[in-house]
Amino acid sequence: MLLIIIRTVILYAAIVIVMRVMGKREIGQLQPFELVVALMIADLAAIPMQNTGIPLLSGIIPIVILMAAQVTLSYISLKSEKARTVFCGRPSVLVANGKLVEKELRYLRYNINDLLEQLRSKDYPNIADVEFAILETNGQLSVIPKSQKRAVQPEDLKLETKYEGMPVTVVMDGKVVKENLKKINLNEDWLKTELNKFGINDFKKVFFASLDTAGKLFYQLKANSGGGSV
């Protein structure tokens, strides 16, 4: 039993490292060749994990080879348009200028019910509101609505808007994120002063705190003690 646990931990660590090297993508965002590699890696890891008679290297070496092949193909796809078309394919336009592209639907064996279901999931229950619908190479459907049906933007109303950047996390689970404070030219003394205004004298009481680009501090105390902003 101990041997199985050790082999499982080693293979798990190897797969985690391999998947990290291969890049950050969700399953739904994988290209076909990337999905094949992921499935093959899972199968290769399962065999030596279950059968202690098979050397660990018999599972790890093929996994590393697949990782190298995937990274190589990804690099080639990045540099070559032709290779990218061969490995990943091309996006397919299913709705163009408000009309269904029957030829493309038949070629992809993509029926209208599937298309309507995907449109509903994108909050477009009426196909008449859609200008373009594009099936991307990873299988996701991108929808471009007609100009009359798109959400109103501040630019449409000629409104001026302020810059909104990403809030910076300054406290996480009772610990000050010093690197983030340094990036925004602040320090722990400033943070302590700001929290003291709310009667908070110990960072350990703070579950989360962040500072937005307008200088407003948001915080939440541990154990559902409440939160607020400055």
Side-chain angles (χ1 to χ4, degrees), residues 168-184 186-188 191 203 207-209:
V168 177
T169 300
V170 292
V171 179
M172 186 178 295
D173 198 13
K175 295 181 180 179
V176 178
V177 186
K178 297 180 182 179
E179 297 83 1
N180 288 351
L181 278 174
K182 187 176 180 181
K183 288 179 182 178
I184 55 178
L186 295 174
N187 53 41
E188 289 187 47
L191 182 59
F203 293 133
F207 182 66
F208 177 81

Side-chain angles (χ1 to χ4, degrees), residues 134-204:
I134 304 166
L135 187 65
E136 306 293 355
T137 56
N138 61 4
Q140 297 290 326
L141 188 71
S142 298
V143 182
I144 301 173
K146 292 181 178 179
S147 58
Q148 301 90 339
K149 298 296 181 178
R150 71 184 182 188
V152 177
Q153 303 292 328
E155 185 179 7
D156 298 329
L157 302 176
K158 298 181 179 180
L159 297 176
E160 294 289 338
T161 57
K162 294 182 180 180
Y163 170 76
E164 292 182 2
M166 290 290 293
V168 177
T169 300
V170 292
V171 179
M172 186 178 295
D173 198 13
K175 295 181 180 179
V176 178
V177 186
K178 297 180 182 179
E179 297 83 1
N180 288 351
L181 278 174
K182 187 176 180 181
K183 288 179 182 178
I184 55 178
N185 298 318
L186 295 174
N187 53 41
E188 289 187 47
D189 291 335
W190 174 87
L191 182 59
K192 185 181 295 185
T193 301
E194 291 299 312
L195 291 175
N196 281 339
K197 295 177 181 178
F198 298 94
I200 304 170
N201 53 19
D202 190 351
F203 293 133
K204 293 181 180 180

Side-chain angles (χ1 to χ4, degrees), residues 200-221:
I200 304 170
N201 53 19
D202 190 351
F203 293 133
K204 293 181 180 180
K205 296 180 181 180
V206 182
F207 182 66
F208 177 81
S210 64
L211 186 71
D212 65 17
T213 52
K216 292 183 179 180
L217 180 70
F218 170 85
Y219 71 91
Q220 180 174 322
L221 301 179

Side-chain angles (χ1 to χ4, degrees), residues 94-96 98-102 105 112 115 127:
L94 305 183
V95 178
K99 295 182 180 180
L100 293 167
V101 183
E102 297 182 41
L105 287 167
I112 295 178
L115 177 59
I127 197 171

Side-chain angles (χ1 to χ4, degrees), residues 2-101:
L2 180 60
L3 180 61
I4 294 176
I5 293 173
I6 294 173
R7 289 167 67 93
T8 300
V9 171
I10 292 173
L11 285 167
Y12 173 75
I15 292 174
V16 169
I17 293 171
V18 167
M19 297 304 290
R20 288 287 292 163
V21 172
M22 287 169 55
K24 299 180 180 179
R25 290 219 189 173
E26 297 179 4
I27 293 297
Q29 297 176 331
L30 294 177
Q31 297 295 341
F33 75 92
E34 293 174 326
L35 181 59
V36 169
V37 170
L39 293 174
M40 291 179 68
I41 287 176
D43 287 338
L44 288 169
I47 295 173
M49 193 181 295
Q50 296 173 350
N51 190 344
T52 56
I54 299 176
L56 273 178
L57 287 178
S58 297
I60 293 176
I61 291 175
I63 289 173
V64 173
I65 292 173
L66 281 175
M67 177 198 70
Q70 192 274 337
V71 171
T72 302
L73 288 178
S74 296
Y75 181 78
I76 294 173
S77 299
L78 181 66
K79 296 296 182 179
S80 171
E81 178 69 28
K82 292 182 179 179
R84 188 157 54 247
T85 300
V86 171
F87 297 143
C88 306
R90 292 181 180 276
S92 301
V93 180
L94 305 183
V95 178
N97 299 312
K99 295 182 180 180
L100 293 167
V101 183

